[in-house]
């Protein structure tokens, strides 16, 4: 471990990053590097705090941390703090069916929160081919 200031950086470039709750209390202290990606930080936080069943929102300087950038790219370094907020993911089961006509249907199986401003959708699309093939599945931005 490091001796002295918790803000000190180790010879390998790693540093201790405090995670604080909304009241400003320490939830965890994680050993990270500037190359640590947000997805890794989120996974480390969930494991350390046993919050794997929750969606974690991370904030630095009151701004949500989104995407999968490296901490160094986000100017998170020794001396920085990250706020962590947990909440249950919302989930809609069998929200409905979209019909183009009797032969082309899209049944929504489940819609769920997957991250900050992100959802995942499970669906089944069927068509009898009378109007051509179904469109290829693609991710939406």
């Amino acid at each position: 471990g490091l001796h002295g200031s918790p803000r000190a950086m180790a010879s390998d470039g790693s540093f201790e990053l405090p995670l604080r709750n909304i009241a400003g209390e320490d939830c965890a202290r994680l050993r990270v590097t500037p190359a640590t990606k947000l997805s890794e930080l989120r996974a480390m936080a969930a494991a350390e705090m046993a919050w794997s069943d929750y969606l974690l929102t991370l904030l630095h300087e009151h701004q949500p941390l989104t995407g999968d950038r490296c901490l160094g790219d986000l100017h998170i370094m020794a001396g920085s703090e990250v706020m962590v907020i947990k909440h249950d993911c919302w989930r809609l089961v069998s929200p409905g069916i979209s019909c183009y006509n009797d032969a082309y249907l899209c049944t929504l199986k489940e819609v769920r929160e997957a991250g900050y401003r992100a959802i995942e959708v499970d669906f089944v699309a069927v068509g009898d081919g009378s109007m051509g093939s179904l469109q290829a599945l693609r991710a939406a931005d």
Side-chain angles (χ1 to χ4, degrees):
L2 293 176
H3 298 288
S5 168
R7 295 177 181 220
M9 188 177 293
S11 60
D12 65 357
S14 69
F15 59 94
E16 192 174 78
L17 180 65
L19 299 183
R20 303 203 191 282
N21 64 20
I22 199 162
E25 302 162 332
D26 272 6
C27 294
R29 290 184 169 269
L30 303 176
R31 175 74 41 193
V32 296
T33 70
T36 301
K37 291 184 173 276
L38 284 175
S39 60
E40 297 168 323
L41 179 63
R42 206 171 264 107
M44 291 166 59
E48 177 71 20
M49 297 180 282
W51 286 356
S52 59
D53 292 337
Y54 297 95
L55 182 66
L56 301 184
T57 300
L58 302 175
L59 299 106
H60 179 246
E61 297 179 350
H62 309 290
Q63 297 299 315
L65 298 174
T66 62
D68 200 23
R69 296 170 54 194
C70 296
L71 298 182
D73 293 343
L74 296 164
H75 309 289
I76 297 174
M77 58 195 90
S80 296
E81 297 176 354
V82 169
M83 181 185 292
V84 60
I85 301 171
K86 73 172 184 170
H87 68 272
D88 292 319
C89 298
W90 57 262
R91 180 179 312 258
L92 299 173
V93 178
S94 299
I97 298 173
S98 172
C99 303
Y100 181 76
N101 61 29
D102 290 343
Y104 285 82
L105 308 170
C106 180
T107 303
L108 291 173
K109 306 291 253 173
E110 183 175 277
V111 179
R112 64 189 161 275
E113 189 174 22
Y116 179 74
R117 296 177 59 175
I119 62 169
E120 293 177 341
V121 179
D122 292 335
F123 64 93
V124 176
V126 295
D128 67 2
S130 62
M131 298 181 69
S133 301
L134 295 173
Q135 295 178 356
L137 181 63
R138 66 176 181 85
D141 295 329

